Amino acid sequence: MNQFRLSRRPDIGNKIRVSFEFFPPKTDEMETRLWETVKRLEPLRPRFVSVTYGAGGSTRERTARTIDRILAESALMPAAHLTCIDATRETVDEVIRQFVDLGVTRFVALRGDPSAGVGTRYRPHPGGYANGAEMVAALRRHGDFDISVSAYPEKHPESPDFATDIDMLKRKVDNGATRAITQFFFDNDIYERYVERVRRAGIYIPIVPGILPVHNISQVANFSARAGAHVPAWLRERFEGLENDPQTHALVASAVAAEQVLDLVERGVGDFHFYTMNRADLVFAICHMIGIRADPAKSSLGSAAA
Ligand code: FAD
C-alpha cells in the first residue's frame, strides 16, 4: 500500500471543505433531533449548511423558521434552497425578499420536484419561473448572492441526453450560479466522466460532489432511480444481511462513504456536500475519517472529555 497517497497525509483535513444539508422539521420531535444534529456538526466548521425547500407555503415557513434559528443560535452560515414549484414569479420574489430580510446571502436555486411526487410530470406554473436557470436569474436580480445549483452526474431523469442536461447547467452558470452541487452518486468514475463533459462544455464553476451516507440501503435503492442515480451491485452486497443489524449497517455506511470521499480526494476533489438526513452520527464519523476535526472550543464532547 502506498503510504504517500494524499488521502493518508496527516494534514488531509486542511485540504477538504464540507457543507451539510438539512431538511426543515415537521414536528417538535423532529425539530429536537435536527437541533441536536446541528449542534453536533457545528464544531466541524462547515463552509455553509443548507436547508431544503418543498412545494407549498407551509414548507416555505418551515424553511424560513429553520434558517432563522440557525442564524440566531449558531455560528453557521445558512443557505436557503428555493424552488419555483406551484408559485408565481411574484411569490418567489417575495420569498427571496423574506430570506434576505432574515440575513440570508446564500441560496440553492432549483426548479423542484412536482408536488404530485418525484417522477410525475412537471408543468411550470403559468405565471411562474420555469426552471433552475430562471431561478438563478431571479435571485441575481435581487442581489449579489452566492448561488448553488443542482447537477446530475447520471443526468436528470427528465433529460433526454447528457447534452440537454449540461446545456441546462450552462444556462444556470450563464445566469450567475457560483457552484453546482451534484445529486448523490456512488460510482466515482461516473462523477469524473461527468466533470470532464462539463468542462468540455466550457463550464468552470466547482462541481461539488453530493455525498449520501447510506442510513438504509433499501430506502436508498427505492429512491435512487427516481432521483437520477443508481445503486451499484457491489454497494448492495456490502449491506447484504444487515437489514436487522443497524449498528453494523451504520459502521459499514461510514466506511463506504469515507472510502468514496478519500478516493475523490485522490482525484483532486476538495469540496464535499453531505446529505445529512438530519442525522449527525454517520456524517460526524465520516468527517473524522477524512481528517476534519471539531473545533475544541465549540465541541460539547471535547469539553466533557477535558
Ligand atoms: P433544473 O436544473 O431546472 O432541470 C434539471 C434537468 O431537467 C435539466 O438538466 C434539464 O435537462 C431537465 N429538464 C428540465 N425541464 C425540462 C423540460 N421541460 N424538458 C426536458 N428536460 C428538462 N427538490 C426540492 O423540491 N427541494 C429542495 O430543496 C431540493 N434540493 C436539492 C438539492 C440538490 C443539490 C439537488 C441535486 C436536488 C435537489 N432537489 C430539491 C431535487 C430537484 O428539485 C429535482 O431533481 C428536480 O426534479 C429538478 O430540479 P432542478 O433544479 O435540478 O431542475
Side-chain angles (χ1 to χ4, degrees):
M1 193 70 76
N2 180 358
Q3 297 298 315
F4 297 99
R5 282 168 57 180
L6 175 64
S7 61
R8 285 168 181 261
R9 282 175 41 181
D11 62 346
I12 179 190
N14 301 335
K15 300 185 188 329
I16 298 178
R17 293 188 299 184
V18 295
S19 52
F20 302 135
E21 183 169 310
F22 305 121
F23 62 85
K26 282 193 186 136
T27 63
D28 289 350
E29 199 186 344
M30 286 166 81
E31 166 108 23
T32 305
R33 190 172 82 183
L34 168 63
W35 208 245
E36 284 167 6
T37 301
V38 168
K39 285 292 157 190
R40 177 110 162 100
L41 297 181
E42 182 181 8
L44 299 178
R45 289 167 287 188
R47 229 177 144 198
F48 63 90
V49 295
S50 75
V51 181
T52 63
Y53 187 96
S58 63
T59 318
R60 182 212 312 179
E61 294 311 323
R62 282 192 275 116
T63 303
R65 246 198 334 268
T66 305
I67 295 232
D68 200 23
R69 191 167 173 196
I70 288 171
L71 280 166
E73 296 180 35
S74 79
L76 296 167
M77 176 79 78
H81 290 219
L82 194 54
T83 78
C84 55
I85 295 293
D86 296 340
T88 61
R89 291 188 184 87
E90 291 71 27
T91 303
V92 171
D93 290 354
E94 187 192 307
V95 178
I96 294 171
R97 283 192 293 272
Q98 187 190 357
F99 281 131
V100 171
D101 287 346
L102 289 178
V104 175
T105 57
R106 288 174 177 262
F107 289 90
V108 182
L110 301 142
R111 185 196 80 182
D113 280 318
S115 36
V118 180
T120 58
R121 191 176 155 75
Y122 168 73
R123 284 194 184 80
H125 188 289
Y129 299 116
N131 51 43
E134 291 192 9
M135 291 295 283
V136 175
L139 281 161
R140 273 277 165 257
R141 282 196 291 277
H142 283 80
D144 185 22
F145 306 125
D146 177 283
I147 305 175
S148 301
V149 293
S150 60
Y152 297 88
E154 301 183 60
K155 90 175 182 59
H156 188 274
E158 287 169 44
S159 293
D161 48 46
F162 271 104
T164 314
D165 205 63
I166 290 174
D167 185 53
M168 176 62 85
L169 182 59
K170 181 92 168 61
R171 285 163 60 191
K172 293 191 272 197
V173 175
D174 290 346
N175 287 351
T178 323
R179 84 177 58 67
I181 300 172
T182 75
Q183 183 59 283
F184 67 86
F185 60 91
F186 298 106
D187 181 339
N188 290 347
D189 289 344
I190 287 177
Y191 167 82
E192 203 167 20
R193 275 198 299 275
Y194 175 73
V195 174
E196 280 166 18
R197 278 187 163 120
V198 163
R199 301 294 181 234
R200 276 203 300 275
I203 298 169
Y204 300 108
I205 59 167
I207 309 292
V208 179
I211 304 294
L212 178 70
V214 179
H215 287 281
N216 182 320
I217 187 68
S218 314
Q219 277 173 12
V220 170
N222 285 341
F223 177 71
S224 288
R226 281 176 290 142
H230 93 279
V231 178
W234 62 262
L235 186 66
R236 288 172 200 261
E237 278 160 24
R238 293 247 177 122
F239 291 98
E240 231 166 51
L242 298 179
E243 295 78 9
N244 301 313
D245 184 352
Q247 255 182 327
T248 313
H249 193 293
L251 290 170
V252 172
S254 51
V256 163
E259 184 181 85
Q260 180 182 14
V261 171
L262 290 173
D263 180 66
L264 286 166
V265 171
E266 294 290 336
R267 298 173 194 230
V269 181
D271 288 275
F272 296 90
H273 184 77
F274 286 93
Y275 295 108
T276 70
M277 311 305 284
N278 290 5
R279 294 163 71 163
D281 283 2
L282 287 188
V283 173
F284 195 90
I286 297 157
C287 285
H288 189 88
M289 282 198 273
I290 61 176
I292 295 182
R293 296 292 187 269
D295 175 356
K298 294 215 179 86
S299 170
S300 51
L301 288 183
S303 53

